[in-house]
């Protein structure tokens, strides 16, 4: 039997090569949960995004939503007021307060027509212009004072700074239409909201300067109108104020 030579064994015979295991990346395939710090950062980021969206939504509602809503309220109150006048009511009760007049200011446009409600509550000022408590009635001797928003909630006095001396302010009631002429401009007088002298029957500025009532034909005019609103677009404790005096009264023939 022929002899078969056995193969020569190398020095590496029987040696098993071992591969090094690479570290597993926990984020590579999601097989390992994220660390607590990563989870906190993730949810904190989500919370900040949600808070930012909520703030943007609030701002959008304040600047556009409330104006749209108040525009509908203005129309509803104005319509109710005209119907009530036809029925012989001087003051008409609405869902937002008692309405008594319609304010027109040609400087603000030929279509400007905003209802006047009694008082100065948030509900009243969201539905029109507010007739300040304890001030004179339209056309009467004394100080007929009106307040309204400059921004949001319909913005009846959005263009307040544009008012100039000589501008007309027309107040229509069931009995008559009263035309006032302004003696000061929209940027002439700015006061802290705590200074209530502008609502006095015969306002006198304690700091001096031009004081109402205006003089008409050389005589003091005691039939005054006062308009006031916020002095800034954003929140402020200051108020812009204008004064005017009555120049004409016209009956309306409503009976």
């Amino acid at each position: 039997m022929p002899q078969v030579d056995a193969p020569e064994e190398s020095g590496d015979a029987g040696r098993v090569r071992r591969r090094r295991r690479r570290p597993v990346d926990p984020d590579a395939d999601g097989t390992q949960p994220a660390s607590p710090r990563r989870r906190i950062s993730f949810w904190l980021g989500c919370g900040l995004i949600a808070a930012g969206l909520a703030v943007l939504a609030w701002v959008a509602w304040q600047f556009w939503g409330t104006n749209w809503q108040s525009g509908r309220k203005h129309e509803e109150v104005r319509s109710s007021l005209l119907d009530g006048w036809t029925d012989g009511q001087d003051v008409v009760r609405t869902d937002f307060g008692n309405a008594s007049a319609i304010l027109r200011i040609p400087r603000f446009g030929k279509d400007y027509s905003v209802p006047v409600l009694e008082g100065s509550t948030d509900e009243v000022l969201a539905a029109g212009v507010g007739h300040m408590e304890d001030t004179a009635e339209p056309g009467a001797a004394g100080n007929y004072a009106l307040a309204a928003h400059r921004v949001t909630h319909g913005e009846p006095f959005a263009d307040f700074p544009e008012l100039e001396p000589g501008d007309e302010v027309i107040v229509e009631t069931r009995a008559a239409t009263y035309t006032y002429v302004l003696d000061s401009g929209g940027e002439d007088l700015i006061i802290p909201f705590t200074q209530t002298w502008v609502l006095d029957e015969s306002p006198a500025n304690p700091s001096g300067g031009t004081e109402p009532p205006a003089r008409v034909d050389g005589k003091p005019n005691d039939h005054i109108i006062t308009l006031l609103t916020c002095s800034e677009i954003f929140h402020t404790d200051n108020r812009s104020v204008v004064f005017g005096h009555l120049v004409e009264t016209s009956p309306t023939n409503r009976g």
Side-chain angles (χ1 to χ4, degrees):
M1 185 173 184
Q3 182 178 356
V4 178
D5 294 331
E8 295 183 358
E9 294 183 3
S10 66
D12 294 335
R15 182 179 297 176
V16 178
R17 291 185 179 181
R18 296 182 178 179
R19 294 181 179 180
R20 294 183 179 179
R21 292 186 177 182
R22 296 179 180 178
V24 178
D25 184 358
D27 294 329
D29 56 5
T31 57
Q32 294 186 14
S35 67
R37 180 176 295 179
R38 285 179 177 271
R39 288 198 299 269
I40 292 173
S41 298
F42 172 77
W43 288 113
L44 180 60
C46 290
L48 291 175
I49 292 173
L53 292 175
V55 170
L56 289 175
W58 180 84
V59 170
W61 171 254
Q62 288 295 314
F63 281 88
W64 291 284
T66 63
N67 287 335
W68 170 80
Q69 187 180 61
S70 289
R72 298 183 64 182
K73 291 180 180 179
H74 290 182
E75 181 59 36
E76 181 179 339
V77 174
R78 187 167 47 243
S79 178
S80 297
L81 192 55
L82 293 173
D83 290 342
W85 285 347
T86 301
D87 294 336
Q89 303 176 54
D90 291 322
V91 177
V92 178
R93 180 175 296 179
T94 74
D95 292 337
F96 316 107
N98 293 331
S100 56
I102 294 176
L103 178 69
R104 295 186 172 90
I105 302 178
R107 169 70 66 178
F108 294 165
K110 63 180 182 179
D111 296 327
Y112 183 89
S113 174
V114 182
V116 178
L117 296 92
E118 297 300 309
S120 57
T121 64
D122 290 342
E123 188 174 27
V124 163
L125 295 181
V129 174
H131 173 209
M132 300 297 290
E133 299 88 342
D134 301 322
T135 63
E137 297 300 317
N143 184 7
Y144 179 55
L146 303 176
H149 285 293
R150 184 179 169 191
V151 65
T152 74
H153 296 92
E155 304 178 344
F157 285 173
D159 297 325
F160 199 91
E162 298 179 10
L163 291 174
E164 298 179 359
D167 283 346
E168 289 186 342
V169 176
I170 301 167
V171 179
E172 181 183 357
T173 68
R174 187 189 74 84
T177 297
Y178 305 97
T179 301
Y180 296 85
V181 169
L182 295 183
D183 303 304
S184 57
E187 296 182 311
D188 291 347
L189 179 62
I190 298 176
I191 61 171
F193 78 99
T194 53
Q195 292 193 15
T196 59
W197 62 268
V198 296
L199 303 178
D200 291 345
E201 182 177 355
S202 182
N205 191 337
S207 300
T210 302
E211 300 176 1
R215 301 186 68 84
V216 181
D217 296 330
K219 298 179 180 179
N221 186 296
D222 58 357
H223 292 65
I224 305 164
I225 190 169
T226 299
L227 307 180
L228 60 155
T229 190
C230 291
S231 63
E232 303 290 343
I233 293 179
F234 298 102
H235 176 74
T236 177
D237 288 332
N238 293 332
R239 301 290 181 264
S240 294
V241 184
V242 296
F243 298 105
H245 62 276
L246 182 67
V247 295
E248 184 180 356
T249 301
S250 304
T252 58
N253 300 320
R254 286 196 179 93

